[in-house]
Amino acid sequence: MQMHGTLLSPFTRKVRVLAAERGLDLPLVAAEVGTHVPLAGPAQDALSALNPLIKIPVLIGVAGGPLYDAAVICAFLDALGPGPRLIPTGVARWPVLRLQALADGMVEAALLCRFEARRPPAQQDPDWIAAQQRRLRQGLDALEAEAAAL
């Protein structure tokens, strides 16, 4: 198995941490991804062949074809081999997956703010940035409300 991603991607990092915690060797193949529209060119075409959404990370070398989306890859890797799982089964699974979705959404909002800040000032949308920042604040508030249970 190999994972296509970048060292700067928080989603690639999430998968790499889970793989390390599970004792899995997961070589990283550097992927070139664009952060600006349009996503076109040879690097994006190569990534598109693995993931039609042209996003990282992508896990290759698994039965059934490439796996994409960090949450899917994490669930797959967590099910490999012996030892305690990081993502529980049964009733305990759903709160963990909900927190994972919350954290992923917060990271996406932060990345969208960062990408918007890279646009020329005249093309930036302050209302759109404010909406992403609201998602971040509300996500932090939700985590704070659950801090004792974590």
Side-chain angles (χ1 to χ4, degrees):
M1 291 185 301
Q2 294 179 328
M3 183 174 59
H4 289 246
T6 68
L7 291 175
L8 296 178
S9 164
F11 298 107
T12 298
R13 188 173 305 118
K14 170 183 165 175
V15 172
R16 293 181 74 211
V17 167
L18 185 133
E21 289 293 322
R22 294 287 287 138
L24 301 170
D25 181 30
L26 189 60
L28 180 64
V29 176
E32 292 185 42
V33 294
T35 59
H36 295 78
V37 175
L39 289 175
Q44 288 77 20
D45 291 344
L47 184 56
S48 176
L50 300 174
N51 179 351
L53 300 175
I54 315 172
K55 294 172 71 174
I56 56 170
V58 178
L59 184 66
I60 63 168
V62 298
L67 293 178
Y68 37 87
D69 188 82
V72 172
I73 297 169
C74 284
F76 173 79
L77 295 176
D78 197 42
L80 296 180
R85 303 281 191 257
L86 297 174
I87 304 170
T89 59
V91 175
R93 180 179 185 85
W94 308 115
V96 170
L97 292 181
R98 182 181 52 77
L99 285 173
Q100 176 180 228
L102 176 62
D104 285 352
M106 292 170 61
V107 169
E108 288 172 0
L111 287 173
L112 291 172
C113 285
R114 174 70 177 116
F115 295 155
E116 184 74 2
R118 293 178 64 186
R119 296 175 64 179
Q123 294 179 2
Q124 293 178 18
D125 183 345
D127 293 333
W128 190 85
I129 293 171
Q132 302 310 317
Q133 291 172 338
R134 177 181 178 190
R135 289 183 175 109
L136 281 167
R137 281 191 309 275
Q138 290 180 169
L140 289 170
D141 289 345
L143 287 175
E144 181 68 26
E146 294 189 49
L150 299 176

